[in-house]
Amino acid sequence: MLEKKILLVEDNPDDVALTIRAFKKNNILNPVVIAKNGVEALDYLFGKGRAEPLAVKDLPIIVLLDLKLPKIDGLEVLKKIRQNELTRLIPVIILTSSAEEKDKLAGYNLGANSYVRKPIDFSQFAEAINALGLYWLVWNEPPSVD
Amino acid sequence: MISQNFKSLTIAARLVPLMAGAMAFAGGSLVLVGWAFDITVLKSIAHGWVSMKPNTAIGFILIGFAMLLFCSPSPFTFKIPGFICRIAHFCALLAGLIGLLSLIEYISGLDLGFDQWLFLEPAGAVGTSHPGRMAPDTAVCFILLAVGLEIIGLSHRLSRMLVVTGMLGALVTTMALVEILSYLTPFLRTAGWGGLTMMAFSTAVLFFMLGTGLMLLLWSKGSLEPVRDDNLRQKFRSPNGLGLVVTFLALASGITATGVSSFRNYERYYRAVVESQLSAIAELKTEELARWRKERLGDGHTLYNNPVFPSIVKRFFDNPEGADDRRSVHIWMKSLHSHLGYAQIALIDSRGAMRLSVPKGAAAIPYLVQDAADNLDLKHVSFLDFHRHTFDGPVHLGVMIPLFEDQDSSKPLGLLILNIDPESYLYPFIQKWPTASLSAETLLVRRNGNEVVFLNELRFQTNTALKLCVSMDRKELPAVMVAFGKTGIVQGLDYRGVPVLAALRTIPGSPWALVARQDIAEVFKPIHERLWITILLIAVLLNSAGAGIALLWRHQRVRFYREQADSAKMLQKSESLLAVAEQLGKAGGWEFDIETRLLKWSDMVYQIHELERTVQLTVEQGLLFYSQESRPIIAQAIQDAVEKGTPFDLELEIITVRGNHRQIHVIGIADIELRKVNGFCQDITERKQVESALKQSEATIRNRLKAIVEPDGDLWGLELSDIIDVEVLQSMLEDFYNLTGMLGAVLDIRGKVLVAVGWQDICTKFHRCHPITLSNCIQSDTSLTSGVPPGTFKAYRCKNNMWDMVTPLMVGGRHVGNVFIGQFFYDNEPLDRELFCKQAQRYGFDETAYLEALDRVPRFSREALESGMRFYVKLAEIISTLSFSTIQQSKMLVERKKAMEEIRQSKERFQIIFEQAPLGIGIIDSLSGKMYQVNAKYADIVGRTRKEMEAIDWMSITHPNDVQKDADHMARLNSGEIDGFQMDKRYLTPNGSVIWVNLSVARLQVEGISSRRHLAIIEDITERKLAEENILRLLAEAKASRQTLLSVVEDQKLAEEKIRKLNEELEQRVLERTTQLQGSNKELEAFSYSVSHDLRAPLRTIDGFSQALLEDYQEKPLDETGKDYLNRVSKAAQRMGILIDDMLTLSRITQAEIKKEDVDLSGMIRQIAQKYQEEDLGRFVELSIQEGVNVQGDPHLLSIAMNNLVQNAFKFTSREIHPRIEFGRSVKDGATVYFIQDNGAGFDMAYVKKLFNAFQRLHSSDEFPGTGIGLAIVQRIISRHGGHVDAAGEVEKGATFFFALP
């Protein structure tokens, strides 16, 4: 479980730093792969310029996805993840500051597993990360992809 | 279709026996039920009809069951399973046995005791001689049916015995038919054969069906052996047995109907004869009796009316003693007695005493006195009817005559009685019958109250006269009928209870009636005989017909099978022929069934595939033989054939079982109706090989010809053998070899040996025989020989370690082959035998032979070889030169011929053009101006003949006004100043009219040198000129009228223009307003989104990192991380400030009012750029700003927009080594646009649409800082001006932002 990667798609370096700090605080020690925009996230997952797609064992155990991203936005990324046979079962958690009902609905419609709003208060944010980690990394049993 | 019909006929034919069997079975069962519950309807259909006996019913059950079982075989195999067969045989046998036993009973007269073992039948049942025993003909029918069924079950389908069965069936049918008919003939119902039990009606019907069923069963067994081969079935229709059976039935009904109708006719006629005879007899007797009676009464009246006799009697009475009177009376009486034949005559006086009698003392006299006593007061003559005086006394009758003294006296003197004895005349007369008959008789009867009294003695019963009386109730008796007054012919039972035919008459004037009767049995005895003869005849005829048809059927079948056998033989013969043909043509047939997919191949097809004959394949397996390329083609073809019926004809490749590739020609045709695909398959491998060889050689020849014939032909395509004369060279080399013993050879560039002389065994028998050494040879001949300069030679050791010398053979500067001296060793060089031993071992050569061959290899001195080789070098040079010059020469010849041909053709073409051109063409002498040669059109245009044209120059026919101009042109042309000219000019025709032409004149050039002649081409443009003049005139007129109109329209136009402008302004304003509203709406949306997302981000950062600081640095001093945290907090706060500013800017822009002024964009941009340049001193950005770009717009807003664009450009070029920013004006899509271009980070055109959205960024803020609002502001400002923005770019290649302003 520990070697499984977490894919964090976030363009704001501060939020990246805070999220990683929150992971550490909550003893979530999985390696975190950071994608700064939608294109990078998709490239990581589906391999642009890489001859072969990501091996099954290298797939992230969970994807934390910000919605508002440069170039390709989060919803688009989510759509691509769900469309691909390889990645469609990876749990995707939308982690965003947007409280718009529209975004939430779109997120769930496209198959997000969870939708977490980034709270302004950091302690709340840390708690949210903690809860996320507990649930998705400890309790949830992913389907066997093989 | 035929086979369909045939099948349905078969089924129909099989249905009849099936139904017959079922009905027999059901009928028998019903009759048994009838016996069990005593139901007359079931037993005998109606009262007074003969019943079906229980044994008969059992027989029907058995025989019906047997027939059902024989019909049961499955419809397509026609084989009856063994156990069913045994049951059927058993049932049939049992039924036959019952019949046989019954027949034995009849014949032997014994009662075996099984007649009534089930049910008792009362004695004397209708038409039954032995109660409970089946009729003899029923028994016979059972036996016949049983035998028939046994034969069917046991015999082979072609057996002659089946004909017997057919006849048996026919016989049963006939017998049943006769019985049925006999029921329709009423007299025959009383008794069957020889008065024995009759067949019941229902029995007869069932037998009729079973007989017919037997015949059809026979047919279905005999002829319907399924023919497996569909073709055969179509070709040879099996004889139509059903037709024959139908024919038989028709024939049988015809025969029977004829027989029956002739019999009925006869019967009617005979009956009429009998009846008239009977009537005649009765009539005769009646008349006679009446006459006789009248005579008797007449006798009486004679005496009664006689005046003498009473007076004599009176005298006798008065004087009884007077002898005379007594004698007179006696004489009278005596004469009456003797002449008139009365038995007795008595004279009674009035007191009743007898006075005289004749003959005297007769026994009957006292009875006469007694009779007289009752009739003393009689007034008239009266008849005394039959009577007896005593019970056993004789029968009398008589006439009584009262005697009166005179007419008036009322009291008679006495009574004379004339007594008649009936025995003497009357009875014999009555009994007498005019013809010989065993049963005929006449009866005389009299009604006596409620009885009928028989008056005479009867034939079959004695002592009946006046003693036999029958009641009037017995109306079936003819005697009773006549007593009731009925006359004529009747049928009834007589006193014995025997059926009789009778003629009835009453005797007029008497109470008597006459019955003349005869037993029906006797009357119709001849009819009976006739009937039996008829039946016999019918039976014989039917059987003959049946037998005839059965024979015919058999004959047909024999012929059918013979034809089948013949055709099978023919087929075999043609198959063997086919096999031969297949063998010769390497072709075979194939066929497959669409349903089963099984493939049938002829032997040859198996051979083509090199496959064992015994292997059975499906289509899919068959397809596997085809090569990779061919398989889809044939699969598609077969699919099309199966689905659409398209035939195919293909040439494909197969790979045989042994792996050989073969070309085959496959043809297939689908027969959708038969669900089959047939075809043909031919091995065309050889043909293909020959074809391709032919093609190849043809190509070579063509190539050679081409190379030789065409000037630019490709020498490279030529084989060396095409160029040199191999034969001459061979003989030359042979001579050389003979002289020197040196081997010579000429090989082409690919190593192909063209000429070879004196080759050594070591090469021909060893090296060139083993694949590896051979390839060594060829490689040596090709690769080791290259690169030798022409005119020199080279010596080398070949790859098989032999010495060779080579010089190249060049043709036309190209290396086309080599000339060799080879396969030798130097005489001063030791031979390395070990090397060759190894070589022999390596390639498996016979070592001794190899070494022997090695020893035979010649050895030469170097000098000898070199001089030999020099000869070859020269030879090669000669070959080269000669060959090439030959080729060149022939090419030149061809070229020349071709050029001539071209010239000829071009001349011809020119002639055609010249003569037929629609333009006038002429050749003019430049000095004299004479027309050398003009075509027909030229002459035609100028209105002269060609001959006239030859005599005149051009000036003499030109319009005087045009002569000078034309002459000027001509002079310039002649001087060489111009090469040609064109002008419109006029000619004058001989009749004075003017012709306008367009004249083109050009100097004629031959081989690039100007000649004295010019080519003139003229086109008749007279009409065009006239039209032009017309148009000019019209235009002038139009111009004048337009001028007048224009002033009227002008005013109206001005007004319209005003309205249009107002409208446009209004529209513009509405448009602006709408754009503004849309913009602010969008802005509002983006703003709220930003508040919820972007504004929160820095807040979160501030909160998060201050929290982290609080958590991590309560106890310890700030380290680098701590400082970073603080830094982040501060940056986030700044960022938030910028965000808020930007947002305010954006919203202000949306609301700001636009004041348009002239704006110097170039200046504005330079200012902004300088500002950024100064801010960032560490970097030099190359600026290129187009001067003098002025626009109309709000200077404040435009400066914000330009600021953003320039700032962007600076920002995204920050990583460039040579950053460059350009501003300018250009034209895009036909409209003026302004652009700011940089060579910075650029962007992906895929996201160009997102570029101008608020807060949308393509780069994360650590790459290039920013809020994502700058371009949104730019767009807002430009669109508020009513313009639009656009961008173009490429990642890492810079970006260009365009904007247009109205």
Side-chain angles (χ1 to χ4, degrees), chain B residues 791-975:
Chain B
T792 64
F793 58 87
K794 170 186 171 186
Y796 65 93
R797 217 180 237 273
C798 86
K799 290 194 170 180
N800 291 324
N801 293 309
M802 307 292 294
W803 274 100
D804 287 324
M805 284 178 134
V806 66
T807 184
L809 191 56
M810 313 294 284
V811 172
R814 190 168 65 89
H815 186 187
V816 291
N818 293 302
V819 182
F820 292 89
I821 292 179
Q823 302 168 9
F824 62 85
F825 296 113
Y826 290 109
D827 54 1
N828 58 352
E829 217 176 59
L831 194 60
D832 190 352
R833 297 182 74 85
E834 208 166 297
L835 176 73
F836 284 95
C837 279
K838 268 186 202 157
Q839 220 159 268
Q841 280 157 18
R842 192 187 311 153
Y843 304 122
F845 298 142
D846 177 351
E847 212 172 308
T848 342
Y850 186 66
L851 291 176
E852 275 171 15
L854 181 70
D855 289 337
R856 284 199 297 274
V857 173
R859 293 162 154 256
F860 299 111
S861 69
R862 280 182 196 273
E863 293 74 34
L865 282 164
E866 277 173 15
S867 55
M869 203 57 208
R870 274 195 293 277
F871 168 76
Y872 272 133
V873 168
K874 277 178 195 132
L875 180 68
E877 274 172 7
I878 291 165
I879 291 172
S880 160
T881 327
L882 279 177
S883 304
F884 192 57
S885 51
T886 313
I887 294 168
Q888 296 254 312
Q889 202 171 12
S890 61
K891 274 184 182 173
M892 261 170 63
L893 278 169
V894 170
E895 248 170 280
R896 193 183 149 74
K897 206 172 165 193
K898 208 169 160 190
M900 296 292 284
E901 174 66 11
E902 267 168 20
I903 289 166
R904 196 185 59 76
Q905 279 179 1
S906 113
K907 241 184 173 174
E908 220 165 58
R909 273 200 295 272
F910 171 76
Q911 200 59 35
I912 290 168
I913 293 167
F914 183 78
E915 287 303 334
Q916 295 178 0
L919 301 170
I921 303 172
I923 294 168
I924 310 165
D925 188 287
S926 58
L927 299 176
S928 64
K930 279 250 168 83
M931 310 292 289
Y932 257 115
Q933 208 178 348
V934 294
N935 67 356
K937 185 74 184 174
Y938 203 114
D940 189 36
I941 290 173
V942 298
R944 288 167 175 86
T945 63
R946 284 168 88 167
K947 214 164 195 171
E948 283 168 353
M949 290 298 292
E950 281 168 18
I952 49 180
D953 59 42
W954 61 267
M955 280 167 285
S956 58
I957 55 167
T958 302
H959 193 278
N961 292 359
D962 292 336
V963 171
Q964 192 53 49
K965 197 177 165 196
D966 199 347
D968 288 350
H969 280 303
M970 213 51 119
R972 286 170 70 199
L973 188 64
N974 285 342
S975 68

Side-chain angles (χ1 to χ4, degrees), chain A residues 111-124:
Chain A
N113 296 69
S114 187
Y115 188 97
V116 175
R117 202 177 157 224
K118 292 177 191 167
I120 296 173
D121 185 356
F122 177 73
S123 53
Q124 272 181 37

Side-chain angles (χ1 to χ4, degrees), chain B residues 634-855:
Chain B
I634 183 76
Q636 185 61 44
I638 284 179
Q639 196 188 338
D640 286 350
V642 170
E643 286 168 7
K644 302 175 201 154
T646 6
F648 57 88
D649 185 339
L650 302 164
E651 287 190 359
L652 298 169
E653 190 185 41
I654 57 164
I655 300 166
T656 67
V657 174
R658 292 185 197 147
N660 294 322
H661 287 249
R662 282 189 174 167
Q663 301 290 323
I664 58 164
H665 180 198
V666 213
I667 293 175
I669 297 164
D671 188 333
I672 298 299
E673 211 165 289
L674 286 177
R675 309 293 297 149
K676 268 180 189 169
V677 180
N678 297 308
F680 157 92
C681 166
Q682 187 180 19
D683 182 358
I684 53 167
T685 316
E686 278 175 23
R687 200 189 82 200
K688 280 276 162 187
Q689 278 167 357
V690 170
E691 261 176 30
S692 81
L694 269 175
K695 259 185 206 163
Q696 216 172 337
S697 73
E698 194 194 86
T700 317
I701 290 168
R702 195 181 299 130
N703 212 9
R704 190 171 163 179
L705 273 175
K706 199 175 158 194
I708 292 168
V709 167
E710 287 180 12
D712 301 322
D714 185 11
L715 271 178
W716 295 93
L718 278 183
E719 296 280 335
L720 180 56
S721 54
D722 296 336
I723 300 170
I724 60 171
D725 191 331
V726 172
E727 275 172 34
V728 174
L729 211 56
Q730 174 88 29
S731 75
M732 252 177 92
L733 288 188
E734 268 166 20
D735 292 344
F736 185 75
Y737 173 70
N738 289 338
L739 268 168
T740 62
M742 283 179 200
L743 169 143
V746 178
L747 272 70
D748 73 6
I749 196 75
R750 285 193 294 276
K752 188 174 156 197
V753 180
L754 299 180
V755 178
V757 174
W759 280 39
Q760 294 303 312
D761 285 350
I762 193 164
C763 287
T764 54
K765 289 189 180 159
F766 296 95
H767 293 157
R768 283 191 183 258
C769 290
H770 191 278
I772 297 172
T773 46
L774 173 65
S775 96
N776 283 344
C777 291
I778 291 169
Q779 275 179 28
S780 307
D781 293 345
T782 53
S783 64
L784 293 180
T785 55
S786 60
V788 184
T792 64
F793 58 87
K794 170 186 171 186
Y796 65 93
R797 217 180 237 273
C798 86
K799 290 194 170 180
N800 291 324
N801 293 309
M802 307 292 294
W803 274 100
D804 287 324
M805 284 178 134
V806 66
T807 184
L809 191 56
M810 313 294 284
V811 172
R814 190 168 65 89
H815 186 187
V816 291
N818 293 302
V819 182
F820 292 89
I821 292 179
Q823 302 168 9
F824 62 85
F825 296 113
Y826 290 109
D827 54 1
N828 58 352
E829 217 176 59
L831 194 60
D832 190 352
R833 297 182 74 85
E834 208 166 297
L835 176 73
F836 284 95
C837 279
K838 268 186 202 157
Q839 220 159 268
Q841 280 157 18
R842 192 187 311 153
Y843 304 122
F845 298 142
D846 177 351
E847 212 172 308
T848 342
Y850 186 66
L851 291 176
E852 275 171 15
L854 181 70
D855 289 337

Side-chain angles (χ1 to χ4, degrees), chain B residues 261-274 527:
Chain B
S261 82
S262 108
F263 169 71
R264 290 300 294 258
N265 235 348
Y266 174 77
E267 186 207 322
R268 207 175 300 125
Y269 163 76
Y270 182 79
R271 199 183 162 101
V273 168
V274 166
I527 294 188

Side-chain angles (χ1 to χ4, degrees), chain A residues 11-15 17-18 21 25 36-37 39 66 68-73 96-100 103 117-123, chain B residues 1088-1089 1092-1094 1096-1101 1103-1105 1107-1108 1111-1112 1125 1128 1132 1247 1250 1254-1262:
Chain A
D11 66 325
N12 187 335
D14 291 340
D15 278 350
L18 286 174
R21 188 170 178 279
K25 286 265 168 196
K36 272 184 260 160
N37 55 48
V39 176
D66 191 7
K68 198 156 182 315
L69 294 167
K71 294 180 185 175
I72 294 181
D73 71 19
T96 178
S97 51
S98 169
E100 298 254 329
D103 286 344
R117 202 177 157 224
K118 292 177 191 167
I120 296 173
D121 185 356
F122 177 73
S123 53
Chain B
S1088 67
Y1089 192 82
S1092 77
H1093 189 278
D1094 292 69
R1096 293 165 78 96
L1099 277 178
R1100 202 164 51 242
T1101 308
D1103 180 67
F1105 288 105
Q1107 194 81 32
E1111 279 173 17
D1112 298 352
Y1125 284 2
R1128 281 176 191 263
Y1247 313 118
K1250 293 184 171 179
F1255 302 109
Q1256 188 70 56
R1257 305 210 60 225
L1258 295 187
H1259 303 273
S1260 51
S1261 45
D1262 53 350

